[in-house]
Each structure stands twice: as structure tokens, then as C-alpha cells.
Amino acid sequence: MINMIQAIIMGLLQGITELFPISSLGHSVILPKLFGWGLDQKAPEFLNFLIATHLATAIVLFFFFLRDWIEIAKGLGRSIRDRKIAPSDTYAKLGWLLVVGSVPAGIIGLVLEKPIRNLFGSPLIAAVFLVVNGLVLFGAERLRTRERQLTSARHVNATATASDAEIATLSWKRALGIGTAQAAALIPGISRSGSSMAGGLLSGLNNENAARFSFLLATPIIGAAAVLKLPDLFTPAMADERGVFLVGALCAAVAAWFATKFLLRFFETRTLTPFAVYSVVGGVIYFVLMLVMG
């Protein structure tokens, strides 16, 4: 169904757009139609290809933030052993914030999986929601808390430990809110990273730390969703597709690594505005093109 060239392009596209706040699912629905590939985006082969590329992205994110995950695991262990979170234990608090933030997307994804899957075949809907994604990013930049923005600005050149300490000041309610915002990315066109970054900004984080929390939050939710569907990749019907899936996954992994490095540097001094502009303008252009193409 997906040939090698398509797998390379789609893999690179997924690795970039999963981390850039412009919706990987939206582009996976829109661009094959725009390129005239004639892919059946509701077919098991297409969905399994997306699973392979998402799993590769999650693995890359895990190793990119490996030091953090080791410290988070230790912190969670300490909190379970002591049956409390020490006020000074940054990584115990950060670990439980990630747990709380992962719950909404997990529940919503399980409950609404089938209705959401039906949206995968509609490039028009994906283009509309890409515009919505841009408006959300614009809104988050305008509405973020000024007082916390100025406080966080002192950490622009801070170490990773200082960034994690800043993130760990989030309340449980705000972490749940960010996780709920992330769940909107189940709709093609709405960016997972964009939604969670927007939630982070509105919770008082600066752009750099909102991006960092978004990437940490992405790892368990993307990884868990992919692992749950992993057996589908090893059915006899998928035997002829595995080589193509592997190439796509490797391309996604390489693209995700460089995208993460770029964005963490980018958000040290820049905002979500360029991605908001792209989402709105691109969404409108894609919508018109989809109408013209029929």
C-alpha cells in the first residue's frame, strides 16, 4: 500500500510535525491527498504505519531526555517508598505531574478511538482543525500570565535541572489541564505538542519550559498508544509491509531527534507565533486545494 518513497517522506514528515506544533496527524491526512497518492487512510496498513512512526518518535524522545527519565524514575520510587512527595524533591513532583497529565489523553483516546478514527479519511476536516490549531496557539501566546512570564524569563539560559524545577512548580490542577489540552490532538489537525505547549503557557510556564514539559509528556502517551497497537504490526497480513514500516520509522526517528534539538533552542528566545501563522494560513490553503481537487 505504501511504497518506499512514500514511507521515507511520511516518516520524515511525522518525525518533524509530531514535535513541531502543527499536527502530525493532520499532515498525515492532508498531504497524501495533496500529493495524489491515493492512499486509503482508514486501511489497517496506513494506521499501522502511523503506529510504527509514532513508536519511533516516542523512543527518540525517551533517549533524548534519558537523564530526566532516570531522575524521574528515582523520584517516583522515593515518593512511593516514603508515601509522600518531599517539598524539595523536584523529580518526584515532576514524575507525578506527568502521570496526572497523561490520564486525560489515555482515557479519552480509549473511549473515543473509533469515532476519531473516522476523521482520518477527511482532509477537509483536518484542514479546518489545522486552522483551529493556529488560533489556539495565537490565543495562548496572547493570554498567558504576564507575571509568571516575567518570572520564568530569568530561566532562559538555565540548566536542565532549573527548567525541571520550574516545571515542578505546576499545580496538579494545571497539569491535568495541560493533559486535557493534549487530548485534543486525537483530532487530525490539532497538534499534540501545540495543545500541551499552549496549556503550559496558560499555566505560567515560559515557551522553553512549556516545550520541555510537552516533550516529556509526549513520551508516555505516544509510547503507550503505540505499544498497545504493536501486535497489529506482527500479524501475517503485515508481513510484506514491515520493511517499509521500518524505513518509515527510522526516518521518523532521525527527524524527531533533530526537531527536538532545534525546538528546545528555538523556544529559548522565540514563541509559538510562527507556527500559529503557518497553521492558519496553511490550513486555509489546504482547505481550498482539497475543495478544488474534489
Side-chain angles (χ1 to χ4, degrees):
M1 177 185 174
I2 299 177
N3 62 41
M4 196 63 72
I5 298 299
Q6 291 169 346
I8 292 171
I9 295 173
M10 291 285 288
L12 293 172
L13 177 72
Q14 197 282 326
I16 293 171
T17 56
E18 181 63 44
L19 285 313
F20 280 55
I22 55 174
S23 179
S24 64
L25 285 180
H27 285 81
S28 295
V29 171
I30 293 170
L31 294 188
K33 172 71 173 178
L34 192 61
F35 294 155
W37 286 348
L39 299 178
D40 181 359
Q41 290 151 319
K42 294 182 181 179
E45 294 85 355
F46 184 80
L47 297 176
N48 288 338
F49 177 81
L50 293 183
I51 290 168
T53 56
H54 277 75
L55 179 60
T57 302
I59 292 171
V60 164
L61 285 174
F62 176 77
F63 282 105
F64 194 97
F65 294 102
L66 181 59
R67 188 196 68 81
D68 293 83
W69 284 113
I70 291 173
E71 295 300 325
I72 287 168
K74 290 178 181 178
L76 289 172
R78 287 191 297 271
S79 67
I80 293 172
R81 180 197 64 200
D82 300 337
R83 299 184 181 180
K84 66 176 183 179
I85 301 174
S88 61
D89 197 336
T90 293
Y91 286 103
K93 175 71 181 297
L94 180 55
W96 286 110
L97 287 172
L98 292 170
V99 172
V100 170
S102 299
V103 169
I107 294 175
I108 294 171
L110 289 173
V111 172
L112 300 179
E113 177 185 7
K114 289 184 179 179
I116 290 171
R117 184 179 295 181
N118 291 331
L119 298 176
F120 276 51
S122 177
L124 278 174
I125 291 177
V128 169
F129 277 107
L130 188 59
V131 174
V132 173
N133 181 73
L135 296 177
V136 169
L137 299 184
F138 273 126
E141 284 288 357
R142 289 184 64 86
L143 296 175
R144 59 179 170 166
T145 307
R146 182 173 175 79
E147 181 181 354
R148 284 294 302 273
Q149 179 187 352
L150 294 175
T151 301
S152 297
R154 293 199 296 264
H155 297 294
V156 166
N157 295 314
T159 65
T161 300
S163 292
D164 290 339
E166 176 73 12
I167 295 168
T169 63
L170 287 171
S171 67
W172 304 112
K173 182 178 179 180
R174 288 182 172 180
L176 188 65
I178 294 171
T180 303
Q182 177 183 234
L186 294 167
I187 302 172
I190 301 295
S191 167
R192 186 213 55 77
S193 61
S195 298
S196 53
M197 285 183 205
L201 290 179
L202 295 177
S203 296
L205 297 177
N206 63 13
N207 289 88
E208 180 186 0
N209 292 336
R212 187 178 185 84
F213 187 59
S214 172
F215 296 157
L216 288 170
L217 193 59
T219 308
I221 198 67
I222 298 174
V227 168
L228 284 174
K229 297 293 185 180
L230 197 58
D232 294 344
L233 298 179
F234 295 96
T235 60
M238 294 293 105
D240 294 337
E241 308 287 343
R242 287 177 198 145
V244 174
F245 289 178
L246 178 60
V247 170
L250 290 174
C251 289
V254 172
W257 181 272
F258 285 104
T260 304
K261 289 189 68 174
F262 170 79
L263 288 173
L264 287 176
R265 286 177 176 258
F266 179 89
F267 285 122
E268 289 179 357
T269 56
R270 304 288 294 279
T271 70
L272 289 169
T273 301
F275 306 105
V277 172
Y278 167 79
S279 294
V280 172
V281 175
V284 171
I285 292 173
Y286 294 145
F287 184 83
V288 172
L289 289 174
M290 294 303 107
L291 288 178
V292 172
M293 296 174 65

